[in-house]
Amino acid sequence: MTVRRDFQEPARCRPDLVIGREGLSAAAREQLASGGSVLLHGPAGIGKSTVLRALAAQYASSARTVLRCSATESESHLPFLALADLLGLVVDEVSDRLPAAQRTALESALTGRGEESALQRDGLALRLAVLSALRALAAEGPVLVVADDLQWLDSASAELLGFAARRLGDTPVQLLCAVRTEGQEYDRHLRSCPPDTLAVRLGPLSRAQVSTLLDHRGYPGLPRSTVRDIHRTSGGNPLFALELGRALADSSHPIGPGEPLPVPTSLRTLVLNRLEMLSDEARRTLLVASAGARPTLALLHAAGRENAEAETAQAATLGLLATEPEGPAVRFAHPLISAALYAEAPAHERRAAHAALSTAASDPIERARHLALATTGTDPEAAARLAEAAALARDRGAPSVAASLGLLAARHTPPYGYPSPDQRRLQAAEDAITAGEVDLARDIAREVLTRATAPADRVRAWMVVIESAGQALGEVDTVYPQVLADAGDDPRLLAQVHYQLAWRGLVVEGDFATGREEAAHAARLAARAGDRRTELLALAFQAQTETLMGHPDAPATIKRALQEPQDPQVACHHNGAGATRYRWLIMSDQLPEARATVTALLREVRRRGIVESEVHFVRLLADTELRSGHCGRALDLARESMRLARDSGIGEIPSAVLTSLAEASGGDVERALALGREAADQAEEVGDQMYVSRGLAALGHAQLVAGDAAGAARSLRRVRELEHSLGITDPARGRWHGDLAEALVRIGALDEAQGLLDEARAHALRLGRESVLGVLDRAEALVRAARGEYEAALTQLTSAQDRLAKLGYGLEEARAAFALASLRTSPRAPGAVRVAVAAAPGPTSYDEAARLFRRCRALPWVRQVEAAAVANPVEPAAPVAASEGLEGLASMERQVAALVMEGATNREIAARLFISVKTVEATLTRVYRKLGIRSRVDIVRLAAGRRTK
């Protein structure tokens, strides 16, 4: 009978309970599954108890008996309390199996009659009693001991538990414990655990993980900048992050630029009692340090803190500052200490600290920021310095900093000056877009629109609103009539509007022709107004649509978009001419040039801090690597793009599409299916017709890899319908045609497959898409094989593989090799064809296909090849009699074989027949296969056999 002891399993085990702990939890689960013990350790609030509860809930079902205790600081002085929690409910079950002395000692300790001195008086009996009790319980089935907060275990219980744990040996008793530690000092707590215990340290969460945690715990939709501040202030501690999120949710006032996060009382109390032990002067010094971005002793001295060394030493003694040496920096022991100290200080003291730093800081950006935070009301000089600092931050590639400084500049700008406060706010909004902080940008623009009257300001604000919508342009569809009205007949403003209308035509209406016409119109208007930036963006968009449409003007438009003068910001923008050129290169099968182009673009946007473009270029580089057959590298980049997209809220659908393709090729097929569905569903939801087709294409590919041919056919048939309605004719755009044809062959729709291939081939030939033609050849060979045309299928597959290999499409080459291997072992192929396939040059075996897939790190495909090899083993060809075999050779093969019989070397044969040595080697390989032999010696033996007949 299974017994549960003092353990309540959580009513619901949600995946969000262990956010960011997947790897650590996996290591702990593996240790527990193997019969070992686990000690979780880390600082307060880091999530030890959460992980412990999740692990205990999972492994409680495999133990007959679960013993649990959770100590507290207030009860840590009570002897044997933890022991009573663990064994109090089972002592009656095991007491009759203990020797009398042990039973008496244990009952005395558990019933409260014992004192800590009993451990000295009856020490051996009590220690042995605990060990015997655990062994007695384990004799009836596995035992799991769950102990939280080991640091508060009373010393007597800790001693007894450690004594037993060290002597359990192979007894099926496992310990799952958690202990609070500030550093790595967990060793002494291992004395309470078995010798083979795995110590798992829980560290801080990443910013993306904190964002996910806040979303799951009821604080969704926080701006990216706020999540960044929460992550920085909490130090990645999940408890602290949740408390800060709660304080923000409870606050009735939004946080302005430069303002600290509200630190709730629950967190302030963790540090304020230590702050009260500081002298007044030391506290002022620490306040200056908390206000500075990178405080040092030199900075504190420059800010007028003459006794900084002694005062920071006092703070370090109290644990407020880090004690380990880190150069001249003054570092708080935890960011929360700095935040609580700053939040607790009166406003006039904070302004005084910033005033001191406004002259002490060496960096002009820092000086301007401190001046703004020390100033109240409007101040033209402070506003001008802040605007200059924002421009400097922008040039340094820190658009997020520029946005924050721009908002501060707007706050101090007089209402009737130039630039106006709203113009500075709009510049800050544009910087926020660049930094990927789209929520902040949209909020600023909406606020400006409530009062702006100047057409230029209103159109500029509307542009921010539209750009912050991302792919959900349908959600701002009502904006376009308003912005056209605001633009009037100003060609400069109209150019910006028609550029956005081009995107609307493509994304919302799914009309490439309309998008192209709007972009061309925008380019003409911008040229007339002298707005080179908008002209370049419009030309790049026009070139992109023409490329996808297979329009003959695409090369000329790309050339126009690349002409000087160029705008540096547009040149590296993900919708600029550089990105358009990359797309042309990738669709024209120029993979090395495409990789070099996108790598250079990615390097530049990272230097400039353009997060929006970084997300897209990481994804495009992943796509390039995937086409090249570098599936492992592609998967790493795709996952990075997915993390960036979710962190910034930019390009989530395109990143999901690419990650689905990468997972299907080199990772987890189930994950690929989920991401493909997610991308298609989200694109449907926001009305992005172009990415509905891309998402379905990724889903269809994943379904094909997963073996669901009918599902793949359904998904990809819809892609075909969508792209036809969109006017996309270039088969290099989505590269789904080969997958659909293969799925149709598997479900027996051969005529439909052939019709699809004929149509796609016509466009590929017209546009010169060599790799697409190779993929179409591979698919058409499958159609021919299904119709019994095996020799034609063999020839076409061999040619397709050679073409794809030369173009550098490693994964497609491997798929062709796999198709050849499958054809070789097809039970429907006639014997003569199977012999021909076995004798054909090139990689036709399952071994060769597996080698090519492993070279690509295409693990899902490797598993398919291995399964096919087991299901369809290749039987070795029977040796052919010499009298039949030599006559059956082709002319060149007979000549080479004859010279081998004479004893000529490969080099001599090549010279006599005027062919290359490689051709000789390839010819001999075919001879060996046809004759069922392995070497030159066997040819001589066969010839000798003929002569003796």
Side-chain angles (χ1 to χ4, degrees):
M1 172 176 152
T2 301
V3 182
R4 294 281 174 258
R5 305 298 185 201
D6 190 26
F7 179 79
Q8 296 296 319
E9 184 171 336
R12 204 164 49 122
C13 186
R14 301 179 305 174
D16 59 301
L17 290 176
V18 288
I19 286 169
R21 307 301 187 194
E22 292 79 7
L24 297 176
S25 296
R29 286 196 298 270
E30 184 177 343
Q31 174 76 354
L32 291 168
S34 66
S37 297
V38 173
L39 174 67
L40 306 170
H41 66 99
I46 205 67
K48 303 178 299 299
S49 298
T50 298
V51 175
L52 180 135
R53 284 194 298 269
L55 291 170
Q58 182 175 356
Y59 284 92
S61 60
S62 62
R64 180 184 183 277
T65 304
V66 178
L67 309 175
R68 188 171 187 272
C69 72
S70 183
T72 63
E73 183 177 11
S74 62
E75 298 172 338
S76 61
H77 65 286
L78 299 174
F80 305 116
L81 182 61
L83 185 66
D85 286 343
L86 289 170
L87 299 179
L89 296 179
V90 296
V91 65
D92 292 340
E93 182 181 333
V94 299
S95 61
D96 60 345
R97 284 177 273 176
L98 303 181
Q102 294 180 24
R103 183 169 60 251
T104 300
L106 183 59
E107 289 176 349
S108 176
L110 296 180
T111 56
R113 295 193 299 272
E115 298 177 353
E116 193 163 6
S117 59
L119 191 58
Q120 286 76 40
R121 186 177 64 250
D122 303 321
L124 182 58
L126 188 52
R127 288 175 172 85
L128 292 174
V130 174
L131 178 60
S132 299
L134 291 173
R135 284 175 173 166
L137 291 170
E140 299 180 11
V143 176
L144 178 65
V145 178
V146 182
D148 200 1
D149 284 319
L150 274 187
Q151 74 277 4
W152 304 131
L153 237 63
D154 62 273
S155 59
S157 296
E159 167 62 26
L160 293 170
L161 185 61
F163 176 87
R166 292 190 294 273
R167 289 164 176 78
L168 286 170
D170 295 333
T171 306
V173 177
Q174 295 174 266
L175 270 69
L176 174 58
C177 307
V179 62
R180 180 187 300 179
T181 55
E182 293 303 325
Q184 295 288 335
E185 71 282 5
Y186 61 89
D187 292 357
R188 62 188 180 91
H189 297 290
L190 286 173
R191 292 198 295 269
S192 299
C193 302
D196 64 342
T197 298
L198 172 68
V200 178
R201 177 167 179 79
L202 274 65
L205 300 181
S206 69
R207 186 169 68 187
Q209 290 164 349
V210 165
S211 178
T212 303
L213 178 68
L214 292 166
D215 286 346
H216 278 256
R217 296 299 179 87
Y219 311 114
L222 290 173
R224 182 170 177 260
S225 56
T226 302
V227 173
R228 182 187 61 220
D229 290 342
I230 290 175
H231 178 257
R232 183 181 63 247
T233 303
S234 68
N237 184 298
L239 173 64
F240 298 171
L242 288 171
E243 287 295 300
L244 290 166
R246 182 182 60 79
L248 278 169
D250 293 343
S251 175
S252 58
H253 302 291
I255 303 303
E259 293 182 2
L261 290 176
V263 180
T265 305
S266 59
L267 296 184
R268 291 190 195 188
T269 54
L270 294 175
V271 294
L272 291 183
N273 57 340
R274 284 182 281 173
L275 289 172
E276 291 172 358
M277 300 172 67
L278 285 172
S279 66
D280 289 344
E281 289 301 313
R283 186 165 179 155
R284 290 191 185 95
T285 295
L286 258 62
L287 176 60
V288 174
S290 70
R294 293 173 294 277
T296 63
L297 287 173
L299 179 65
L300 294 176
H301 280 299
R305 308 310 302 166
E306 297 177 355
N307 298 317
E309 287 88 350
E311 289 158 355
T312 54
Q314 181 189 359
T317 302
L318 294 171
L320 296 167
L321 295 179
T323 55
E324 61 267 24
E326 195 172 301
V330 174
R331 189 167 64 86
F332 285 89
H334 191 280
L336 186 63
I337 297 173
S338 173
L341 171 65
Y342 189 91
E344 188 71 11
H348 70 276
E349 289 188 10
R350 291 205 297 259
R351 286 197 298 271
H354 286 296
L357 290 168
S358 68
T359 57
S362 58
D363 185 82
I365 292 177
E366 278 301 294
R367 288 200 301 270
R369 185 178 72 88
H370 289 302
L371 177 63
L373 295 173
T375 304
T376 58
T378 60
D379 186 324
E381 181 184 350
R385 284 181 58 183
L386 282 162
E388 291 171 3
L392 181 58
R394 198 175 304 120
D395 291 342
R396 288 182 180 179
S400 180
V401 175
S404 178
L405 292 168
L407 289 175
L408 287 171
R411 177 191 294 178
H412 295 293
T413 300
Y416 303 109
Y418 181 82
S420 69
D422 281 345
Q423 287 169 334
R424 282 182 165 150
R425 288 188 183 95
L426 289 172
Q427 178 62 66
E430 290 164 357
D431 286 330
I433 287 278
T434 301
E437 298 176 9
V438 292
D439 293 337
L440 174 62
R442 182 181 57 249
D443 292 345
I444 294 170
R446 290 286 187 185
E447 179 194 353
V448 170
L449 283 167
T450 61
R451 56 177 175 268
T453 56
D457 290 348
R458 291 189 62 80
V459 170
R460 189 177 181 186
W462 284 126
M463 292 299 103
V464 172
V465 171
I466 293 171
E467 289 188 26
S468 64
Q471 289 170 277
L473 288 179
E475 296 178 3
V476 293
D477 216 26
T478 58
V479 164
Y480 296 100
Q482 299 177 60
V483 69
L484 277 170
D486 285 332
D489 56 1
D490 186 326
R492 182 175 175 277
L493 300 180
L494 284 171
Q496 298 174 43
V497 179
H498 283 281
Y499 173 68
Q500 293 297 343
L501 284 170
W503 279 105
R504 180 187 176 279
L506 184 63
V507 173
V508 179
E509 297 180 2
D511 188 336
F512 274 68
T514 297
R516 175 179 177 270
E517 290 168 9
E518 289 285 3
H521 185 40
R524 289 191 295 271
L525 286 167
R528 198 169 80 198
D531 181 359
R532 183 61 172 163
R533 181 180 188 278
T534 303
E535 182 187 7
L536 290 169
L537 285 169
L539 286 170
F541 181 93
Q542 181 184 344
Q544 181 180 341
T545 55
E546 289 173 349
T547 299
L548 294 173
M549 294 168 68
H551 197 285
D553 289 348
T557 307
I558 292 175
K559 186 176 180 180
R560 286 176 61 202
L562 290 170
Q563 285 175 347
E564 295 294 338
Q566 286 289 317
D567 182 304
Q569 197 79 2
V570 174
C572 64
H573 193 273
H574 62 279
N575 287 326
T580 300
R581 179 175 180 271
Y582 160 81
R583 291 183 179 92
W584 174 263
L585 290 169
I586 200 77
M587 293 175 73
S588 302
D589 300 321
Q590 300 179 58
L591 296 182
E593 295 86 348
R595 181 185 292 106
T597 298
V598 74
T599 300
L601 289 167
L602 179 58
R603 187 185 307 116
E604 181 62 16
V605 298
R606 280 175 169 165
R607 186 185 72 81
R608 291 174 174 269
I610 307 175
V611 174
E612 183 181 17
S613 294
E614 180 184 1
V615 173
H616 292 287
F617 288 145
V618 170
R619 186 186 77 252
L620 295 179
L621 181 56
D623 188 20
T624 309
E625 298 296 353
L626 189 60
R627 292 171 189 248
S628 302
H630 306 151
C631 296
R633 171 71 172 152
L635 185 58
D636 290 342
L637 287 165
R639 288 172 175 171
E640 180 186 350
S641 172
M642 195 76 246
R643 286 192 298 270
L644 282 169
R646 287 183 170 161
D647 186 26
S648 63
I650 294 169
E652 292 186 64
I653 297 174
S655 291
V657 167
L658 198 281
T659 308
S660 173
L661 293 169
E663 291 282 1
S665 299
D668 183 342
V669 179
E670 290 300 319
R671 176 72 173 148
L673 290 166
L675 283 167
R677 290 191 185 95
E678 174 188 323
D681 290 347
Q682 287 187 3
E684 288 267 25
E685 188 176 323
V686 302
D688 187 338
Q689 295 302 305
M690 190 164 64
Y691 267 94
V692 171
S693 74
R694 298 297 297 269
L696 287 170
L699 175 60
H701 177 74
Q703 289 169 322
L704 186 67
V705 176
D708 180 9
R714 281 194 302 274
S715 299
L716 295 172
R717 277 168 170 159
R718 190 171 171 215
V719 173
R720 187 182 186 187
E721 294 170 2
L722 284 168
E723 296 211 348
H724 179 75
S725 66
L726 289 169
I728 298 173
T729 60
D730 192 336
R733 184 255 179 179
R735 306 180 68 86
W736 47 266
H737 306 76
D739 284 344
L740 176 54
E742 186 171 340
L744 292 172
V745 169
R746 292 188 192 181
I747 65 174
L750 301 183
D751 290 341
E752 183 182 350
Q754 189 62 58
L756 164 73
L757 293 169
D758 290 343
E759 180 184 354
R761 187 182 302 281
H763 291 300
L765 286 168
R766 174 174 61 85
L767 297 168
R769 304 301 193 221
E770 287 293 319
S771 65
V772 172
L773 289 168
V775 170
L776 296 178
D777 280 346
R778 185 190 69 217
E780 189 169 43
L782 299 178
V783 176
R784 287 179 167 176
R787 287 175 168 165
E789 302 170 15
Y790 290 98
E791 292 185 5
L794 168 63
T795 302
Q796 197 164 19
L797 275 175
T798 304
S799 172
Q801 184 180 348
D802 288 345
R803 173 182 278 178
L804 292 167
K806 289 174 182 175
L807 291 170
Y809 284 76
L811 186 59
E812 299 292 0
E813 175 196 359
R815 287 182 66 179
F818 187 16
L820 278 168
S822 301
L823 180 60
R824 177 184 183 186
T825 58
S826 172
R828 293 177 297 174
V833 170
R834 288 199 296 273
V835 170
V837 173
T844 57
S845 70
Y846 284 126
D847 287 344
E848 179 64 11
R851 182 187 71 79
L852 290 173
F853 280 129
R854 287 194 186 96
R855 184 184 68 184
C856 297
R857 289 181 60 189
L859 302 182
W861 287 103
V862 171
R863 288 190 285 270
Q864 283 198 39
V865 173
E866 290 172 346
V870 171
N872 304 291
V874 178
E875 296 183 6
V880 181
S883 57
E884 300 174 0
L886 293 178
E887 281 76 7
L889 296 177
S891 173
M892 176 64 70
E893 293 165 351
R894 284 199 302 273
Q895 293 181 63
V896 171
L899 291 171
V900 168
M901 293 173 195
E902 295 177 10
T905 66
N906 287 0
R907 188 173 297 279
E908 291 168 342
I909 295 171
R912 290 175 64 176
L913 297 179
F914 302 99
I915 57 178
S916 69
V917 174
K918 287 188 177 180
T919 301
V920 174
E921 293 170 349
T923 304
L924 280 174
T925 299
R926 293 196 296 273
V927 170
Y928 297 157
R929 285 177 178 168
K930 287 185 177 181
L931 299 181
I933 60 179
R934 296 185 177 181
S935 67
R936 299 163 63 92
V937 175
D938 292 333
I939 293 179
V940 176
R941 288 173 179 168
L942 283 172
R946 289 185 67 192
R947 287 193 293 269
T948 59
K949 287 185 177 181

